[in-house]
Amino acid sequence: MNAKVLSSYRIREGAHDVTDSGDEFSAALFASLRRSDQRLRARHYLRGLLAVKGRKSIRNIATLVGGAAAEQSLHHFISGSTWDWSPIREALADHVTRTLTPSAWVVRPLFIPKAGEHSVGVERQFVPEYGQVLNGQLAFGAWAATGRTSVPVQWRLHLPEPWLDNAGRRRKAEIPDSARAETPDECATATALTLLDRWETPKRPVVLDTHMAGLGGVVRSFAEAQVPLLTRVKGSTRLIVADRAIPGYRAGAISARRIMESVQSLRRPLDTPGGVVRRTALGAAVRVRLSGPGSGAELLLIGEWHDWGRTPTALWLAAPAMAPVGDLVRLTWLAQRVAHDEKQIGERVGVRDFEGRSFRGWHRHMTLASVAHAVSVLAVGSGELEEPCFSTLRRSA
């Protein structure tokens, strides 16, 4: 299977149809589905995700393949059937890594707003992306990312304790017995490490595009797995300067923002993904340790500025502190690539559109939405993909 297979999927303008010459791609990814009717439903659902205008609900998808009868069969296929989504995700990850050769795995939160309280995992929570408390689901996706494109291959839904402690609620949502309570930090970490541990995917660096509350546990988990890590940190995160030549050495734990503001003279222009030096893109790095007992090995605190102001725009922590700063900064930019693709492609193929209430239904929908994303990305050829506007996708530290 190669990129030419994927390029055979195409949407006909006007007819809004998707064709697949030879069914090679769907046959390879859906081979784990034992029954021919399941493989047919998977192709129908994929077709709908790619071709339906607007919300990718089961009802809207069914309009392409037979109306009310098709709606019932597709609803059963997604929410009531027994097929396992993991082999499809593994096959997708295998193809994507061989086709794209990703530079890193980017783990990014996905918040899905909901009006009610019955969809699995829904609760009211603060969402940094929107800057307010909202009602909805929180999930984490692992994306295979290059400088020019990215594809989600793994998803994990965060399940708050009220969903796990209530036996009736848990039963109605079909949450498996193996599901246990975990913090958002643990959920984000597990999203990446299950991908790397269970599947034969290459151990590329992991970029955590989310602010972690418990850095010590996160850093230890990736160190034990021998996976290089880059994670966002808040400006208020307290760290210990490990370089005796830097202001703040032996001053105890001080904020990451203060550390980087003290080394403004060390800032250097950074190369953007196209290789062009932008003098408004500046970076500096300081060797640090985590505060608290058992602070562990040295890490690298990286600051990024997009003007000559005092406060850095973004802060990252690299573990271990071994790679050149320029290479690490280029990896952090992959988070912006994923943010761009999630908005421009992921939302178009329905990553936020599942209307069912079950745990299994959500995972099946997200699996097929990931396949649709891969088709959308790989069918056009990497040379034609749009570069994100890096100056507009930054988050303040």
Side-chain angles (χ1 to χ4, degrees):
M1 186 168 60
N2 53 43
K4 292 182 178 179
V5 174
L6 286 173
S7 66
S8 65
Y9 270 85
R10 56 188 182 276
I11 300 177
R12 290 207 306 265
E13 294 183 1
H16 307 302
D17 195 13
V18 179
T19 63
D20 174 23
S21 60
D23 262 352
E24 293 179 66
F25 178 67
S26 58
L29 260 64
F30 302 149
S32 61
L33 299 176
R34 297 181 180 180
R35 302 202 312 264
S36 60
D37 64 308
Q38 290 178 329
R39 294 191 291 274
L40 177 64
R41 300 290 177 261
R43 291 196 296 272
H44 285 170
Y45 203 84
L46 175 61
R47 177 188 179 192
L49 292 172
L50 289 164
V52 164
K53 296 288 187 180
R55 192 168 186 83
K56 305 305 189 293
S57 66
I58 292 177
R59 174 170 294 180
N60 290 341
I61 290 172
T63 61
L64 290 180
V65 292
E71 181 179 350
Q72 184 176 2
S73 63
L74 285 176
H75 184 273
H76 175 76
F77 172 69
I78 294 295
S79 297
S81 189
T82 58
W83 59 274
D84 184 1
W85 56 84
S86 295
I88 296 178
R89 292 187 187 177
E90 185 174 0
L92 175 63
D94 176 69
H95 177 71
V96 167
T97 54
R98 288 189 290 109
T99 303
L100 296 181
T101 313
S103 302
W105 302 104
V106 176
V107 175
R108 176 176 168 80
L110 177 75
F111 184 77
I112 306 169
K114 292 288 181 179
E117 58 182 21
H118 299 294
S119 295
V120 61
V122 164
E123 75 167 357
R124 289 187 60 78
Q125 54 195 304
F126 178 76
V127 185
E129 181 180 358
Y130 300 101
Q132 56 183 310
V133 174
L134 296 172
N135 191 66
Q137 298 163 311
L138 175 64
F140 290 89
W143 299 62
T146 72
R148 296 194 65 82
T149 191
S150 62
V151 176
V153 297
Q154 176 69 309
W155 294 96
R156 193 176 185 91
L157 182 64
H158 179 247
L159 296 171
E161 288 188 11
W163 281 92
L164 298 172
D165 295 342
N166 187 314
R169 204 178 191 192
R170 184 168 185 151
R171 183 176 60 256
K172 287 181 180 178
E174 298 180 330
I175 298 173
D177 294 340
S178 58
R180 296 290 182 268
E182 57 187 8
T183 65
D185 285 4
E186 292 168 336
C187 190
T189 299
T191 304
L193 294 185
T194 54
L195 166 70
L196 297 170
D197 290 344
R198 297 179 186 176
W199 303 344
E200 294 182 2
T201 49
K203 282 195 173 183
R204 300 284 190 263
V206 169
V207 179
L208 290 181
D209 187 20
T210 182
H211 294 296
M212 311 302 277
L215 280 173
V218 174
V219 170
R220 280 193 301 273
S221 294
F222 282 92
E224 290 169 1
Q226 298 183 328
V227 176
L229 171 68
L230 273 161
T231 182
R232 284 190 184 273
V233 292
K234 297 179 181 179
S236 59
T237 301
R238 300 183 72 79
L239 301 166
I240 298 172
V241 175
D243 188 338
R244 63 177 63 245
I246 298 297
Y249 180 69
R250 289 187 176 176
I254 55 180
S255 73
R257 182 183 294 111
R258 179 180 166 190
I259 293 172
M260 297 315 299
E261 288 177 348
S262 72
V263 295
Q264 293 182 74
S265 62
L266 301 181
R267 294 182 296 184
R268 296 292 181 269
L270 301 172
D271 289 338
T272 58
V276 179
V277 174
R278 294 169 56 99
R279 295 194 178 279
T280 55
L282 306 164
V286 175
R287 289 185 290 113
V288 298
R289 286 190 172 90
L290 298 177
S291 61
S295 56
E298 287 186 0
L299 311 172
L300 197 65
L301 177 63
I302 301 167
E304 190 174 353
W305 291 258
H306 301 106
D307 54 42
W308 289 96
R310 177 179 174 84
T311 303
T313 308
L315 293 169
W316 295 85
L317 204 61
M322 299 295 290
V325 173
D327 291 345
L328 294 173
V329 170
R330 279 186 283 275
L331 287 178
T332 69
W333 280 336
L334 296 179
Q336 300 153 49
R337 172 78 264 173
V338 170
H340 174 273
D341 290 351
E342 178 197 297
K343 184 174 181 62
Q344 299 299 320
I345 302 171
E347 292 190 8
R348 193 173 69 227
V349 299
V351 293
R352 285 187 169 92
D353 288 353
F354 182 61
E355 296 178 345
R357 297 178 177 180
S358 75
F359 178 88
R360 292 183 173 89
W362 184 88
H363 273 285
R364 290 178 183 133
H365 171 86
M366 296 301 286
T367 299
L368 295 175
S370 297
V371 174
H373 186 112
V375 171
S376 299
V377 166
L378 301 179
V380 300
S382 60
E384 301 172 15
L385 293 169
E386 179 186 359
E387 286 282 7
C389 180
F390 287 90
S391 62
T392 62
L393 288 172
R394 310 293 185 178
R395 290 184 189 172
S396 174

